[in-house]
Amino acid sequence: MDFGLNSRQLELRDVAQQFAVNRIRPAAERLDRLEDPASTYPEALIEEASDLGLRTLGLPERYGGSGADALTEVLVLEELCYGDAGFGMTLAHPWREGRMLAELGTEAQQERFLTELIKDRSFVTALAITEEHSGSDNALPYTASLDAGPRTTAIRHGGHWILNGRKRWITSGNVAKLILVVARTDASVPWPEGISMFIVPREAPGLRVGVIEDKLGLRLNQNAELIFEDCAIPHDQVLGEVNGAAPILRAIGPSSKAKEGAKTLGIGRAALDAGRQWAASRVQGGVPLAEHQVIGNSLAELAMELEAARTLVWRAAWASDHDRGAADSLSDMAKVLSSRVVVRVSLRSLELHGGHGIRRGTAAERNLRNAVTMLHATGGNDALLARLHRDLWRAGS
Ligand SMILES: Cc1cc2nc3c(=O)[nH]c(=O)nc-3n(C[C@H](O)[C@H](O)[C@H](O)COP(=O)(O)OP(=O)(O)OC[C@H]3O[C@@H](n4cnc5c(N)ncnc54)[C@H](O)[C@@H]3O)c2cc1C
């Protein structure tokens, strides 16, 4: 394992860093305060990011992307999320879904959907798995009951599949131009054996957007309900095999969770910087707060915990490309540890700000809201730990 970063990685990280500080952060400070959750979507900023190559980062170079590996993705994502984690979360979707199309799509699917994704500067994508009754079930996966897992159905009629059901919490569900939808194609078997993945354009007849979640944090990230009512999708828009979605989800799991870790690191670094700056300038007892030893030590401890979490996130990202056997467990650890560390860092940072930290609109309160929201993304932490427990002991390590 070599974490010596190459010049391309350093260059991409710099581009993301500049963009985060100069463009994302100022926009986020304004958009985060808007009441209507549907009004916070930063489309112009997505287009700007696209011009810098940041929207198509994960796509193979032969399709016009940057061909970034998982380690490069986490480096860039931490920077973007330093600017705003909701924005970073939105932008990371086309990396993943674009790569899924590039690796699993037929030539015709690539020609029709990937070409457009690359060309259109505002093209973002979504992956729709979660339903009202089925969240952590998808992460575990829980198979003891046939009721577990997605209940959105896809039933074949001639050359089409007819989709019915509702998805919840779908990142960019209301703005994505293309959605990869997981639906039950065989209800007689536990869900991992009976789900398929469908490529669904936003304008598909029978698809409409429902509730847009009004969230505590990550306000720039849209989380929408998708309602399928006799939504007819041609058979040639099945991605991969019929009843073959579970292996696809397993394959993308580790890098997705390493990236969840990277998003939290971005929030944590923003929180630490805010805490450090405040402690350096706020004078109490005749000296800046940072010169009170207990506060200096506290800042050092937060930096240490953040660095430990980062090491695990990098290791999980590297494993997802190079050591598949270890990747599942490492990425679960990375997501759980980093999200917990970052809640601690953000809370302590807020505490160091005293009364100022709990004023609405300050960096300290925004960072804490964003950190808490990350506890639930890509599976709740307890569910991930339940899976980790199972995987570690099944592996006999
Ligand atoms: C910001 C954000 C973005 C998201 N984006 C998407 C998206 O793009 N696409 C998508 O499909 N979904 C998305 N989700 C949904 C997300 O994946 C789910 O919220 C998550 O899987 C948890 O499901 P749930 O909210 O239904 O919680 P539940 O499954 O109801 O869990 C509730 C609590 O119980 C715990 N728990 C559950 N089962 C067990 C168990 N067996 N043992 C111990 N503890 C357990 C969990 O850890 C959690 O703390 C997003 C969520 C958020 C917050």
Side-chain angles (χ1 to χ4, degrees), residues 89 93 96 127-132 134-137 140 168-171 215 218 221 223 373 376-384 386:
M89 183 173 273
H93 271 267
R96 179 179 64 191
L127 176 61
I129 312 168
T130 303
E131 298 179 11
E132 188 59 41
S134 166
S136 304
D137 274 4
L140 283 170
R168 284 296 293 264
W169 281 101
I170 308 308
T171 289
K215 306 194 302 295
L218 299 188
N221 186 72
N223 284 94
T373 306
H376 303 288
T378 317
N381 282 350
D382 282 317
L384 295 185

Side-chain angles (χ1 to χ4, degrees), residues 28-41 212-222 360-361 369:
E29 282 168 3
R30 182 177 56 81
L31 294 170
D32 176 79
R33 302 294 309 276
L34 300 181
E35 283 291 322
D36 176 5
S39 67
T40 61
Y41 183 64
I212 296 171
E213 301 292 345
D214 191 3
K215 306 194 302 295
L216 184 67
L218 299 188
R219 301 223 9 123
L220 273 66
N221 186 72
Q222 306 280 297
R360 290 193 64 196
R369 285 190 284 108

